[in-house]
Amino acid sequence: MTAAPDASGNPEDLFADLLVRAGIDPGPDAVYTPLTGGLSHRVVRVDAGADRRWILRVLDPAVNAAGLGVPAWQEIDNTVLAARTGVGPRVLGTVGQPAAMVLEFINGTTLTADDLGRPATLVRVATACRRLHGRSPRFANDFDIFRKAEELLGLCLRHGLPIPADYTDRLPDLDDLERALACHPLPARPCHNDLLPANLVDDGRAVRIIDYQLSGMNDPAFDLGDIAAEAELPPDAVEILASAYFGREMTARHLARVRLHRIASDIAWTLWFSVHHGLLADSAASPGFDYRAEAAGKWARAVRALDADDFGRLLDRAAGRTAPPAGPAGARSTGP
């Protein structure tokens, strides 16, 4: 989910200075084009002539201070590690203060939710996730969506930020979800944790993954569930994604795990948008984006999933329990 304050004067002077400090001379005729896909940090495309195109990513310390991203040094380190897999963009240079990265420009097509509705694209996205999770060196930090939800809720309550009226009423459901997933945990892997379609780029050969603002060691099924949530995938598409990722190891428990992480994603990121709107509205990289509407949409999807007839059965499958006969919405097994 991705603006550092400008230095006084022309922001292009700041961008040129950062490039030079990162070891790249853009020349006097470089063109700087702000990219609006990110929601927090400032991202600029730099065009400096034939075959001289880069992405400059300037990291706003307020993003981490508001709990909306990992510290700048961790994002930089994780981006460097992800690049070793060939999935993340190559890091061509870095600057410490203000924190910034110069990244390779990936000449490709940014995916959309419609693209992720195609089975062949889902398979390629699953391949990219497997490569990131399996080939990247260990990230320095951990990430847990349940602890992140707690952190964001605390920020909302401390700052008096609006949250859905029934949010705290549904926290027992979130606890049930966490307990079910803890029964058969998967080994933590280097995860992106923010796989909205805009962070997936098809370069014609493979799907690349950009923007490691929320990266950290996590349950790999969360990345899959987050994709499903962000692209609003229907159940059959979620199964295609999970099957492509887990392959022969795929079980009903794996699929339930992905579907539960999808719910956790919507629950937690509802508050991400509430915090961003409340604390960083004046410095948003995309000031025209409707953060409140995004939060409301995510919460509505989360509530529908929590109230669905199969939520209790998903808990049972993820926990390895034998599910009881179908009962009322949200019914839980009382078995071991």
Side-chain angles (χ1 to χ4, degrees):
M1 296 168 197
T2 261
D6 295 335
S8 58
N10 187 346
E12 294 189 358
D13 292 339
L14 169 64
F15 301 149
D17 177 66
L18 289 171
L19 285 163
V20 170
R21 290 169 60 194
I24 294 174
D25 182 4
D29 299 322
V31 177
Y32 302 91
T33 304
L35 302 181
T36 58
L39 300 178
S40 302
H41 296 308
R42 174 161 296 174
V43 184
V44 179
R45 190 185 74 212
V46 184
D47 293 277
D51 299 322
R52 300 186 74 229
R53 178 177 286 181
W54 311 285
I55 296 296
L56 174 63
R57 186 171 171 84
V58 187
L59 307 180
D60 185 351
V63 172
N64 169 248
L68 303 177
V70 300
W73 70 267
Q74 286 184 348
E75 178 176 342
I76 292 172
D77 284 355
N78 292 350
T79 304
V80 170
L81 295 175
R84 294 184 188 177
T85 70
V87 175
R90 288 181 294 122
V91 180
L92 306 177
T94 65
V95 177
Q97 188 59 245
M101 289 181 282
V102 183
L103 306 169
E104 74 164 306
F105 173 79
I106 299 175
N107 188 12
T109 302
T110 301
L111 298 185
T112 66
D114 287 343
D115 294 324
L116 292 177
R118 302 185 183 101
T121 303
L122 288 173
V123 170
R124 297 176 75 233
V125 169
T127 299
C129 290
R130 282 185 64 91
R131 189 168 186 177
L132 175 66
H133 297 164
R135 297 190 185 182
S136 174
R138 179 182 177 84
F139 289 168
N141 61 302
D142 295 322
F143 179 94
D144 185 306
I145 193 62
F146 301 101
R147 305 291 77 75
K148 177 56 68 174
E150 290 175 352
E151 177 188 355
L152 293 172
L153 178 58
L155 283 165
C156 288
L157 296 177
R158 283 199 302 276
H159 293 279
L161 304 180
I163 62 174
D166 54 344
Y167 193 95
T168 56
D169 294 338
R170 306 312 297 252
L171 291 180
D173 291 319
L174 190 60
D175 291 340
D176 287 346
L177 201 160
E178 182 178 9
R179 281 193 292 269
L181 290 172
C183 291
H184 296 279
L186 297 177
R189 301 293 185 193
C191 287
H192 183 277
N193 302 317
D194 187 23
L195 285 174
L196 62 159
N199 286 335
L200 302 168
V201 179
D202 187 345
D203 70 3
R205 298 179 300 276
V207 172
R208 309 285 296 278
I209 301 176
I210 63 173
D211 184 355
Y212 290 79
Q213 176 178 325
L214 286 157
S215 55
M217 299 296 294
N218 192 16
D219 181 340
F222 178 76
D223 267 349
L224 305 182
D226 195 49
I227 292 168
E230 297 290 354
E232 299 185 46
L233 296 181
D236 59 337
V238 179
E239 186 165 0
I240 290 170
L241 177 66
S243 296
Y245 181 89
F246 290 108
R248 294 179 180 177
E249 299 175 0
M250 172 78 166
T251 65
R253 193 172 69 211
H254 287 105
L255 180 57
R257 191 173 196 87
V258 171
R259 291 184 62 189
L260 290 176
H261 270 303
R262 173 186 187 152
I263 302 171
S265 168
D266 275 333
I267 292 173
W269 296 149
T270 291
L271 299 185
W272 190 97
F273 285 96
S274 296
V275 171
H276 202 300
H277 177 79
L279 300 185
L280 296 183
D282 292 339
S283 61
S286 296
F289 186 85
D290 193 336
Y291 293 82
R292 281 185 171 176
E294 187 70 15
K298 288 184 180 297
W299 183 243
R301 292 193 295 272
V303 170
R304 285 197 299 270
L306 292 172
D307 289 340
D309 290 343
D310 65 347
F311 178 59
R313 292 191 291 275
L314 288 176
L315 295 175
D316 288 322
R317 289 187 189 123
R321 298 187 290 257
T322 301
R332 273 68 153 180
S333 167
T334 58

